[in-house]
Amino acid sequence: MTDATKAEAQPRKKGLTRRQKRSVSRGVQYVVFVGALIALAVGADWDRLANQFAQGAIAEQMFPDVITLALKNTVLYTVSGFAVGLVLGMVLALMRLSSVGPYRWVAGVYIEIFRGLPALLIFIFIGVAVPLAFPGTEIPGGTYGKVALALGLVAAAYMAETFRAGIQAVPKGQMEAARSLGFSPARAMVSIILPQAFRIILPPLTNELVLLFKDSSLVLFLGVTLQERELSKFGRDLASQTANSTPILVAGLCYLLVTIPLGFVVRRMETKAQEAVK
Amino acid sequence: MSRPEIEIRDLHKSFGDNHVLRGIDLEIAQGEVVCVIGPSGSGKSTLLRCVNLLEEPTKGQVVVGGTELTDPDVDIDAVRRRIGMVFQQFNLFPHLTVTENLTLPQRRVLRRDRAQAAKVAAENLERVGLTEKASAYPSSLSGGQQQRVAIARALAMGPEVMLFDEPTSALDPELVGDVLAVMRMLAQDGMTMMVVTHEMTFAREVADRVIFMDGGVIVEDGSPEQVITNPQHERTRHFLSRLLDPAMANVEENNAG
């Protein structure tokens, strides 16, 4: 290319070139970011914050109960709620896909209602309305049973939609192949479709577990004994006892101790699932 | 030979307003290999899928091995065990290994025990020449290998009839031969086969009968020589000429349009 054609190909417009504009834009973003950090560092009263949230002595006094009692209960509530949600969600998903109209209808209404209500209201409903409506009936397992039920009812609505999407994501040919081999519809679903659907929905299902983990804090609206306290309640109680917020911070860190690794696992599974598709 | 293995009488199938099959009558004797050819949309795949009731006929009768499948009270799962089917897209179960693809249906459907299912699976993998892939997952196999596994999976159920729905259409050209070789072997072993295909060489060499379908009806039905080499109907000739020489068909289409 001669110099003349080069000049023609890159006409000099007035103002900045594209590359210059890009570097200016990036520079501005860094300046804003660093500025915000400095403002935060200078503006905040770190001594008072540390005094209120990071008292080593108070934090120390929380151990080992915060782990052996509070975190253990949180995990227990979450896992039991998840288990109930898993079973109920699967039933709802299959109802949603049923050829029987009323099943589809009931499942649809259930999902709309329980997805639309705050989990808090479900907890209050389980704690107050159920004993009122059915006097004398005890939800088995005491508080643990109630939490499992309340969390499970909420989780089931979300999981049902996840399951349905997963089942529908399995290619139609899989069911046809199974049927042509002589599988009954139910057996094909259990042996062929669900194992594949489960792989597809493992990441969103794990996300649901993280959400439940946080929602388990709502158990305090059921009224719990000392031994049944989970992380949030435990932290709040200690915070008011000591008139200091350090326990809140420690409780928060305990949540992250579980949710961050779980999130990491989800991302790993998503990448793996994407690779499998390729 | 007393009774035909497959008997189809006045078969109709509609999808909404789309009348795909318009009265099919067909008998296939035991051990007979029948190739069904025809343009796309002619209803040949629908006909095949009606034989094991993957599609429910709108009207008419399908009888396989003396059992009427179109009888609403028939145990369709029991009949399907006797009818193997091979799909264009293979439809192997991707979450199972090759061997598990063969053993799971035997164990769940035929209630064979683990050892017997494994033995039958190994025999059939050997038949299709894939013994060394026994513990591989389908995704690691070529299309041709997957299709041979699919054939082995159907054979492991001990079917009396095999249905093939364009078994080589999704394959790269150089992989077609392996699958056709397995099918030829099956034909020689006396399996009753109904094959929807575009492989004219296979139809000519292996089929006992070739059926040409168009517009939801059987247009021509006879020996490969009759139908492929010396077709009587204009529609058959037109289809075959387009199939054998696609370049010519383009010119024709331009003239017509």
Side-chain angles (χ1 to χ4, degrees), chain A residues 45 62 75 102 109 111-112 193 201 224 227:
Chain A
D45 189 336
M62 293 175 73
V75 169
V109 168
I111 290 167
E112 288 309 325
I193 307 298
I201 63 171
V224 291
Q227 287 307 306

Side-chain angles (χ1 to χ4, degrees), chain B residues 137-150:
Chain B
Y137 279 90
S139 56
S140 69
L141 303 183
S142 74
Q145 290 170 333
Q146 289 192 46
Q147 193 60 295
R148 279 144 70 199
V149 173

Side-chain angles (χ1 to χ4, degrees), chain A residues 210-227:
Chain A
V210 172
L211 291 179
L212 278 187
F213 192 67
K214 296 186 290 175
D215 276 350
S216 65
S217 62
L218 295 169
V219 66
L220 67 99
F221 289 95
L222 290 175
V224 291
T225 66
L226 284 179
Q227 287 307 306

Side-chain angles (χ1 to χ4, degrees), chain A residues 82-103:
Chain A
F82 191 73
V84 172
L86 210 60
V87 174
L88 189 57
M90 176 63 75
V91 172
L92 283 167
L94 293 175
M95 283 171 73
R96 215 57 227 269
L97 296 167
S98 161
S99 54
V100 182
Y103 280 163

Side-chain angles (χ1 to χ4, degrees), chain A residues 62-275:
Chain A
M62 293 175 73
F63 288 89
D65 277 4
V66 70
I67 302 292
T68 56
L69 178 77
L71 183 59
K72 187 203 79 185
N73 275 337
T74 295
V75 169
L76 212 59
Y77 291 146
T78 308
V79 169
S80 57
F82 191 73
V84 172
L86 210 60
V87 174
L88 189 57
M90 176 63 75
V91 172
L92 283 167
L94 293 175
M95 283 171 73
R96 215 57 227 269
L97 296 167
S98 161
S99 54
V100 182
Y103 280 163
R104 285 201 305 272
W105 192 75
V106 167
V109 168
Y110 177 96
I111 290 167
E112 288 309 325
I113 289 178
F114 280 83
R115 267 201 318 190
L117 289 176
L120 171 58
L121 291 192
I122 312 288
F123 271 85
I124 293 174
F125 178 80
I126 296 287
V128 179
V130 170
L132 268 181
F134 308 100
T137 54
E138 273 282 310
I139 295 172
T143 306
Y144 291 98
K146 284 185 201 163
V147 177
L149 187 62
L151 281 180
L153 287 177
V154 180
Y158 288 95
M159 288 196 211
E161 286 298 271
T162 310
F163 276 126
R164 184 175 64 93
I167 289 170
Q168 286 178 333
V170 177
K172 222 175 111 228
Q174 292 290 310
M175 182 54 105
E176 289 185 348
R179 295 305 308 276
S180 77
L181 287 162
F183 281 84
S184 69
R187 201 174 282 155
M189 184 58 89
V190 171
S191 304
I192 306 297
I193 307 298
L194 287 183
Q196 293 182 57
F198 199 72
R199 265 152 226 240
I200 297 170
I201 63 171
L202 213 51
L205 224 46
T206 316
N207 265 331
E208 183 60 29
L209 189 64
V210 172
L211 291 179
L212 278 187
F213 192 67
K214 296 186 290 175
D215 276 350
S216 65
S217 62
L218 295 169
V219 66
L220 67 99
F221 289 95
L222 290 175
V224 291
T225 66
L226 284 179
Q227 287 307 306
E228 291 165 353
R229 287 180 303 176
E230 43 65 68
L231 279 173
S232 291
K233 172 85 171 140
F234 184 83
R236 249 174 50 138
D237 284 359
L238 259 148
S240 54
Q241 263 175 44
T242 57
N244 187 284
S245 303
T246 306
I248 304 283
L249 184 79
V250 175
L253 290 175
C254 286
Y255 277 106
L256 295 181
L257 201 67
V258 175
T259 53
I260 289 177
L262 263 182
F264 182 72
V265 170
V266 172
R267 279 192 297 281
R268 276 285 301 275
M269 285 191 298
E270 278 171 349
T271 348
K272 269 182 102 174
Q274 267 170 359
E275 274 165 13

